[in-house]
Amino acid sequence: MYPQYAALRGDPSDNLPGIPGVGEKTAAKLITTYGGLDGIFANVDAQTPKLKASLIEHEAQARANWELMVLHRDAPVEVDLADLGVHPDDAEVKRLFDFLEFKSLRDRLGEALTVMGASPMAASEATVLEAEVTTLDHACRRRGGDRRPRRRRRSSRRGTALPAAAGWSGSRWCVIRPVRTWSGSGRRSSTPRRCSTRWPGTRRCGPTTPKALTRALLREGRDLGGLRLDTAIAAYLIDPAETRYTLPDLVAKYTNYTVPAGSVADTGQLDFSGDMDVPRQAARHALAVWALSDAIERALDQQGMKQLYADIENPLVGVLARMEHAGIAVDVAELQRLNAYLTAEVEQLNAELQRVVGKPFNTNSPMQLREILYAERGLAPQKKTKTGFSTDAATLEKLRDKWPEFIDPLLRFREVEKLRSTYGTGLLAEVAPDGRIHATFNQTVARTGRLSSDQPNLHNIPVRSDEGRQFRKAFVPASGHILLVADYNQIELRCIAHLAEDPGLIEAFTSGRDIHNATAARVFGVEPTAVTVDQRSKAKMVSYGLAYGMEAYGLGQRLGIPTDEAAVILDAYFEAFPNVKAYMERTVIEARMRGYTETLFGRRRPIPELSNSNFRVRQAGERQAMNAGIQGLAADIFKVALVRIDHALTPPRGGQPVDPPGPRRGADRGGRRRA
């Protein structure tokens, strides 16, 4: 019956037009009632006048559709069905699925092919990592500040029972030694290579997130030190677009090994809470990292980021671990006072909003706000979202003068409630027993290389409101110390000036003048002394917007002006600083050709969006290409500063501070290697 149903309704996938006025429900009803096209057209008089006329007029079309929809089974096909089996290229499927981040679809594809009777996918030849786990008591002696385990002699199998890797937990070392392994095809295979017998050995690799291990050791009064490879950081440099960098995923992606299910935590992190068999898990982590290290280091070298990793990202792991371990002191009493003050104002504003509306409602419910604003008050909706008409801040600002006695306190309520929940209650919840906040700093989140922080987010402590600035005062130095706040001046604008080699911007910086005033003077064609506050503000917005690839529409939204007016300002900026525009255009072209951007330090950011068939996606990729080099270079400079400060404050024993990292040799100002 489906071909006749589709003949009435039409089938867009086959470009078959349906009968006008006959949709899915009408077609289904007609087919159910009359059994098919013959019965329908024999009973057209029983239909409504409009449907009757449409059926009579388009009968020939419906019958032609039916003929086209029926599959003909008498074609002279001479191919044997047995020759039509599906034979997937397993290696190509793995490559494609890894690229598309299809983590579980490969197994499902194999199941589907088996059900279809097609040739199943070839069994994986990956070798399963298995090992004996031996726990050693912490009987150590000091040598140069390094604790080493006293190894117990064990009987060897053919004299080769050597430690492959080891992990430390609390007061015990965990040594793993390779044993027989099994390939995916069921064949027994030998250990892929012999490992060094020396401890700690020339290769000291960390788990997927050794920063957590470093912090745990710092709590025990020890510093990991000498870390050669952090697999998560290295994998992040190779592909910053990944969403996670766990050991099972990385081992599967970069090696021919697989990790037995449940042998390594899916998060790729060790649990130091004491709730599980940490020694055994540490040992298994060590073996997985051992299997992964060569491939990861080889990929780093192939992409030219070995120096970036060794000089910046790897030293930074220890720096951030020590920062997290130290934390920052807070005035708990001041935080409690601010929280109480904000809580009282939230309650007062909530009561006022209930009074204006004249009934109780949930102030945090967009659904109830939509009902009040648009249904009851009759205000004109500004934009629609997937869940209904918007009640966001931009929309409320446009409606403000229509109902100020409600919208003004509502906007204030949202501002104060965010401060209270995020920074009042939020910061208090993160204060440790030592009176300090120990936030986590992340190296593998932002694709541009910038650091982020959470638990709590210390990067976004507010500064634009009076209440927000009060929270900054709650961060205090330890007794007998002072807080030193240091920052780079206009770092991203300086990166633009350097990368674009624009003489106007460079002169504005080297002269020591107010950069935004100097920029406004050139953009608007006035003397620096005649620049108005509004002109300086607009020039500042353009300068910072360029670092994020902002175009005329975005600038207009930021400044609250029409897009055409914003385009005039943007054009004037590029006329005043022509090298900046040339740099932006050149960056997009190079990124499209190479598939990625690259900073002076060699940091790459792949931008596949540049080759997307969708125009809007390509535009977004162009903005990413414009800002990646600028933000990435600024991020690299900040990281270099952190490493330098750490070296300066704690120089290595028996020597001077390590020579600080710099841009790689053979790179010009645009981040391109010189021949």
Side-chain angles (χ1 to χ4, degrees):
M1 283 295 130
Y2 177 80
Q4 300 190 53
Y5 162 79
L8 293 171
R9 185 209 59 184
D11 193 334
S13 63
D14 286 333
N15 201 28
L16 297 179
I19 294 179
V22 179
E24 294 181 358
K25 292 183 178 180
T26 302
K29 181 179 179 181
L30 290 172
I31 292 292
T32 300
T33 304
Y34 301 107
L37 294 185
D38 291 339
I40 292 170
F41 290 111
N43 291 277
V44 291
D45 292 336
Q47 314 307 319
T48 63
K50 185 176 181 180
L51 179 57
K52 174 183 176 180
S54 184
L55 288 170
I56 292 173
E57 182 179 354
H58 296 90
E59 179 178 358
Q61 176 185 311
R63 294 190 179 277
N65 285 352
W66 181 19
E67 184 177 352
L68 289 172
M69 287 293 297
V70 175
L71 180 65
H72 288 266
R73 303 182 181 182
D74 55 354
V77 178
E78 298 179 358
V79 179
D80 193 311
L81 289 178
D83 297 332
L84 299 178
V86 180
H87 306 284
D89 184 331
D90 193 36
E92 182 63 18
V93 169
K94 182 180 186 303
R95 185 202 64 77
L96 177 63
F97 280 26
D98 286 345
F99 173 76
L100 296 174
E101 300 183 14
F102 292 167
K103 304 298 183 184
S104 60
L105 287 183
R106 186 182 182 280
D107 293 338
R108 292 171 58 188
L109 175 61
E111 294 172 3
L113 291 173
T114 302
V115 171
M116 292 166 54
S119 300
M121 297 180 66
S124 173
E125 293 297 322
T127 300
V128 179
L129 288 172
E130 296 179 353
E132 293 176 353
V133 180
T134 304
T135 302
L136 302 182
D137 295 332
H138 189 67
C140 300
R141 55 190 177 90
R142 285 189 178 273
R143 179 182 297 172
D146 185 24
R147 288 188 177 268
R148 306 185 180 193
R150 181 181 303 158
R151 290 183 302 200
R152 297 174 177 173
R153 184 175 299 276
R154 292 187 45 161
S155 59
S156 62
R157 188 175 66 250
R158 296 186 181 177
T160 60
L162 307 175
W168 180 87
S169 170
S171 61
R172 288 180 293 177
W173 287 94
C174 317
V175 178
I176 57 176
R177 62 185 76 255
V179 296
R180 63 180 181 273
T181 53
W182 299 86
S183 68
S185 58
R187 297 192 303 270
R188 181 178 297 187
S189 61
S190 60
T191 301
R193 65 179 179 184
R194 182 174 297 183
C195 303
S196 172
T197 60
R198 300 179 59 188
W199 178 267
T202 58
R203 302 176 60 84
R204 182 178 292 185
C205 304
T208 312
T209 52
K211 185 151 59 68
L213 174 60
T214 303
R215 282 186 61 174
L217 288 169
L218 287 171
R219 289 195 294 269
E220 297 287 335
R222 300 175 176 86
D223 195 331
L224 180 61
L227 182 68
R228 172 172 170 172
L229 179 65
D230 177 331
T231 53
I233 302 298
Y236 160 74
L237 288 180
I238 297 166
D239 186 1
E242 284 281 3
T243 56
R244 64 181 200 169
Y245 302 92
T246 65
L247 271 178
D249 290 339
L250 296 181
V251 169
K253 181 175 182 179
Y254 290 100
T255 77
N256 288 324
Y257 296 102
T258 58
V259 180
S263 66
V264 175
D266 194 44
T267 60
Q269 300 184 24
L270 296 177
D271 183 354
F272 295 97
S273 63
D275 296 333
M276 63 181 303
D277 186 357
V278 176
R280 183 171 296 275
Q281 190 192 18
R284 287 167 170 165
H285 269 76
L287 182 57
V289 173
W290 165 79
L292 182 62
S293 58
D294 278 348
I296 286 283
E297 290 183 325
R298 188 164 52 250
L300 275 178
D301 197 24
Q302 289 172 349
Q303 294 196 17
M305 289 189 288
K306 196 171 183 178
Q307 182 180 343
L308 170 67
Y309 173 79
D311 291 347
I312 300 178
E313 295 291 351
N314 188 36
L316 190 63
V317 175
V319 176
L320 296 180
R322 289 186 282 278
M323 289 169 55
E324 294 175 5
H325 173 70
I328 184 169
V330 291
D331 186 337
V332 176
E334 177 65 10
L335 283 179
Q336 291 172 336
R337 185 193 68 79
L338 285 170
N339 190 51
Y341 166 77
L342 293 173
T343 300
E345 185 170 0
V346 164
E347 293 173 352
Q348 183 270 323
L349 288 167
N350 189 50
E352 181 179 351
L353 289 168
Q354 314 288 329
R355 179 188 59 79
V356 172
V357 174
K359 66 176 184 180
F361 70 97
N362 183 356
T363 317
N364 291 314
S365 169
M367 182 182 298
Q368 294 186 36
L369 284 176
R370 282 196 292 268
E371 180 69 19
I372 292 169
L373 291 169
Y374 306 127
E376 298 178 8
R377 187 70 181 184
L379 300 182
Q382 301 297 304
K383 65 179 180 180
K384 192 172 184 178
T385 67
K386 292 180 179 179
T387 58
F389 293 117
S390 175
T391 61
D392 63 11
T395 298
L396 294 178
E397 286 287 350
K398 294 177 181 179
L399 297 173
R400 199 167 196 163
D401 60 342
K402 305 296 183 182
W403 195 11
E405 57 270 26
F406 178 77
I407 295 179
D408 283 349
L410 177 59
L411 288 170
R412 176 61 181 167
F413 170 87
R414 287 182 171 179
E415 177 186 0
V416 177
E417 172 59 16
K418 182 177 180 179
L419 287 172
R420 183 201 66 80
S421 60
T422 305
Y423 303 108
T425 305
L427 289 178
L428 281 171
E430 298 295 343
V431 179
D434 61 359
R436 303 173 73 85
I437 289 178
H438 301 269
T440 298
F441 296 95
N442 306 305
Q443 285 177 260
T444 62
V445 174
R447 296 185 181 184
T448 57
R450 298 177 68 177
L451 293 174
S452 66
S453 69
D454 55 32
Q455 294 181 317
N457 184 354
L458 293 181
H459 286 169
N460 286 339
I461 303 300
V463 70
R464 295 184 179 180
S465 64
D466 291 337
E467 293 93 343
R469 286 189 289 272
Q470 292 299 315
F471 280 106
R472 296 198 166 216
K473 294 180 180 179
F475 292 88
V476 297
S479 177
H481 295 72
I482 61 171
L483 284 181
L484 172 65
V485 179
D487 196 5
Y488 282 104
N489 177 259
Q490 316 290 353
I491 181 63
E492 290 179 333
L493 299 188
R494 291 178 186 271
C495 288
I496 292 175
H498 177 78
L499 293 171
E501 297 181 294
D502 190 278
L505 275 182
I506 293 174
E507 191 277 330
F509 276 116
T510 56
S511 66
R513 291 182 290 148
D514 179 341
I515 182 63
H516 300 306
N517 184 278
T519 302
R522 293 177 66 93
V523 170
F524 296 104
V526 299
E527 292 296 321
T529 55
V531 172
T532 66
V533 173
D534 180 63
Q535 288 173 331
R536 183 184 182 279
S537 176
K538 289 178 178 178
K540 180 179 179 180
M541 186 63 69
V542 174
S543 297
Y544 279 115
L546 289 177
Y548 294 90
M550 187 168 63
E551 297 177 339
Y553 175 79
L555 178 62
Q557 293 294 306
R558 294 284 187 90
L559 296 177
I561 60 176
T563 302
D564 292 345
E565 185 179 341
V568 171
I569 297 174
L570 201 57
D571 289 342
Y573 184 97
F574 287 134
E575 186 175 347
F577 305 104
N579 282 21
V580 174
K581 183 175 180 61
Y583 165 74
M584 296 292 187
E585 293 174 345
R586 183 176 69 247
T587 297
V588 172
I589 293 172
E590 291 177 349
R592 183 175 286 114
M593 292 173 57
R594 297 184 299 189
Y596 60 87
T597 60
E598 191 172 32
T599 70
L600 287 178
F601 290 85
R603 182 184 304 278
R604 293 186 180 184
R605 180 184 178 182
I607 307 182
E609 292 86 353
L610 289 172
S611 59
N612 195 284
S613 59
N614 186 292
F615 174 71
R616 292 187 180 277
V617 175
R618 287 201 308 276
Q619 273 193 321
E622 291 174 0
R623 290 193 294 272
Q624 293 171 15
M626 291 177 189
N627 71 45
I630 299 166
Q631 292 187 43
L633 178 56
D636 289 341
I637 292 172
F638 273 110
K639 290 178 176 180
V640 169
L642 286 174
V643 174
R644 285 179 170 179
I645 291 171
D646 185 66
H647 285 322
L649 293 177
T650 56
R653 286 173 303 198
Q656 297 299 317
V658 177
D659 186 37
R664 15 168 238 203
R665 296 173 182 173
D668 64 15
R669 288 184 177 183
R672 300 174 300 281
R673 294 183 177 178
R674 291 197 296 265

